[in-house]
Amino acid sequence: MSRPALEDFRRIVVKVGSSLLIDSDAGEVRASWLSALSDDLARLHGEGRELLIVSSGSIALGRSRLRLPRGALKLEESQAAAAVGQIALARIWSEVLGAHGIGSGQILVTLQDTEERRRYLNARSTIAKLLEWRAVPVINENDTVATNEIRYGDNDRLAARVATMTSADLLILLSDIDGLYDAPPAANPNARLIPVVEAVTAEIEAMAGAAESELSRGGMFTKIEAAKIATSAGTHMVIASGKIEHPLQAIAQGGRCTWFMTPANPVTARKRWIAGSLEPKGTLTIDAGAVAALRAGKSLLPAGVIRVDGQFARGDAVVVRGPDTHEIARGLVAYDAEDADRIKGRSSPDVMSILGITGRAEMIHRDDLVIGATRG
């Protein structure tokens, strides 16, 4: 299978690890490298790409700012160092992107933010708005509150979760190594780089190695795990070297890296998940006009809903039925059952006066709607 071109992708998540961003000896950012990376990002942004950055480095920066000694930190020490480092990290990204006229926003997430439905939707909505405004979300695990029991533990898997949550079509993991090899390259001079992985098989998983950097939590094993998460959700993934300047430009020019391919795309994978993997928590019955609108590719508005049944929360899957009770669609509802019942049949401008808040204009957005579901 031939490798894709970087220009083929619209929404790209770039993961940057601590060992690339921070000089461990000096305890400072690698300014020249980051400047070159920001040039690459600005070029993609200028071409109309939507970019997200998953950046490590808060604990490493905090250690430096606080002049903490080398060695393992206790949990509370890591959390406190992260609190200091997160401010520094956000400022660094704001400055390097701002130098190109690109706005940025910091988003700190924990494991629950991508596992619990309501928090997942809140994070997804915030990121979507930043992208709409052409700002670059800079995302990191919230190390100030995450405990060992509720953390990702590495930003490879976090980046994969962010990519799937935002329906990105490409995830780039910038690494200490330029891709996946069939044997550990440090120990075997004959190790061969694998340029394209069509599917993450048991053989591919067996090639995973261990972390080689003091600052890096994740080795090749976590990158393969990230590939499984990303490709199953319709996101292509690349492992490429971040040790060179202009690493994204190198990928675009056909440099050494490993592409992990997916047979789907984020939209079809997400809709397959909505249609077949989620248990509906309720039902919305809609009028004939709304049925026609949905079949024409529109979102479901409150005005078209004539009945609400079931106990569901915002983000739950619901069945959408026509006035004859025939199932029309399934989707993720934007309101709790009680609020949905209060605004059914009402125009979108009425929602704020009824609920006292500015909610979404749609009861179910078309991106969260699968027409023609017949199961159940």
Side-chain angles (χ1 to χ4, degrees), residues 113-124:
D113 293 322
T114 57
E115 297 293 335
E116 294 180 10
R117 175 67 47 202
R118 185 179 295 270
R119 293 164 71 167
Y120 169 96
L121 289 170
N122 287 338
R124 179 180 166 91

Side-chain angles (χ1 to χ4, degrees), residues 19-327:
S19 60
L20 299 177
L21 188 65
I22 310 298
D23 183 328
S24 59
D25 293 328
E28 293 295 334
V29 170
R30 300 180 191 272
S32 175
W33 179 86
L34 185 56
S35 176
L37 175 63
S38 69
D39 290 344
D40 289 356
L41 293 167
R43 186 177 299 106
L44 292 171
H45 190 271
E47 294 170 354
R49 307 288 188 276
E50 296 177 337
L51 302 175
L52 301 90
I53 297 169
V54 175
S55 177
S56 304
S58 61
I59 295 177
L61 281 171
R63 291 185 74 134
S64 173
R65 298 294 191 274
L66 295 166
R67 295 182 173 82
L68 300 179
R70 286 180 174 272
L73 295 176
K74 297 178 182 177
L75 176 61
E76 62 272 19
E77 293 172 337
S78 293
Q79 291 172 327
V84 174
Q86 281 167 357
I87 295 175
L89 189 65
R91 179 178 178 180
I92 288 163
W93 281 110
S94 177
E95 289 178 349
V96 297
L97 293 172
H100 295 278
I102 301 171
S104 60
Q106 183 190 45
I107 298 177
L108 301 175
V109 298
T110 62
L111 182 63
Q112 290 103 321
D113 293 322
T114 57
E115 297 293 335
E116 294 180 10
R117 175 67 47 202
R118 185 179 295 270
R119 293 164 71 167
Y120 169 96
L121 289 170
N122 287 338
R124 179 180 166 91
S125 297
T126 299
I127 291 170
K129 183 56 66 175
L130 286 170
L131 294 174
E132 180 185 324
W133 288 341
R134 298 294 292 151
V136 174
V138 179
I139 302 159
N140 191 10
E141 184 163 14
N142 192 351
D143 289 309
T144 61
V145 298
T147 64
N148 289 332
E149 293 77 20
I150 60 169
R151 68 178 307 119
Y152 287 96
D154 67 87
N155 273 3
D156 293 326
R157 281 176 286 208
L158 172 59
R161 291 293 185 194
V162 168
T164 62
M165 178 172 67
T166 59
S167 298
D169 43 12
L170 177 63
L171 167 62
I172 299 175
L173 301 183
L174 296 180
S175 174
D176 294 338
I177 192 170
D178 55 7
L180 175 67
Y181 285 77
D182 61 1
N188 186 343
N190 297 317
R192 182 178 60 89
L193 177 74
I194 300 174
V196 177
V197 174
E198 295 187 25
V200 181
T201 62
E203 181 183 7
I204 294 297
E205 291 185 81
M207 297 176 187
E212 296 179 359
S213 165
E214 178 191 46
L215 291 176
S216 175
R217 291 188 187 131
M220 190 56 68
F221 173 80
T222 65
K223 291 172 176 55
I224 298 301
E225 290 294 301
K228 290 163 62 177
I229 294 168
T231 56
S232 66
T235 301
H236 288 74
M237 194 184 93
V238 179
I239 299 174
S241 174
K243 287 188 171 182
I244 59 174
E245 292 201 346
H246 299 289
L248 303 183
Q249 181 179 318
I251 297 171
Q253 294 176 345
R256 290 171 63 84
C257 61
T258 298
W259 284 85
F260 292 80
M261 311 300 288
T262 177
N265 66 62
V267 174
T268 57
R270 176 175 168 78
K271 294 207 170 189
R272 189 184 308 119
W273 169 68
I274 292 171
S277 301
L278 298 177
E279 188 66 30
K281 302 294 185 180
T283 300
L284 303 180
T285 303
I286 63 176
D287 60 29
V291 172
L294 296 193
R295 288 179 170 159
K298 306 293 186 181
S299 298
L300 176 61
L301 302 179
V305 179
I306 58 180
R307 178 171 171 172
V308 175
D309 294 291
Q311 292 297 319
F312 53 82
R314 177 188 174 214
D316 281 342
V318 295
V319 173
V320 180
R321 299 187 184 277
D324 59 357
T325 73
H326 178 70
E327 181 173 330

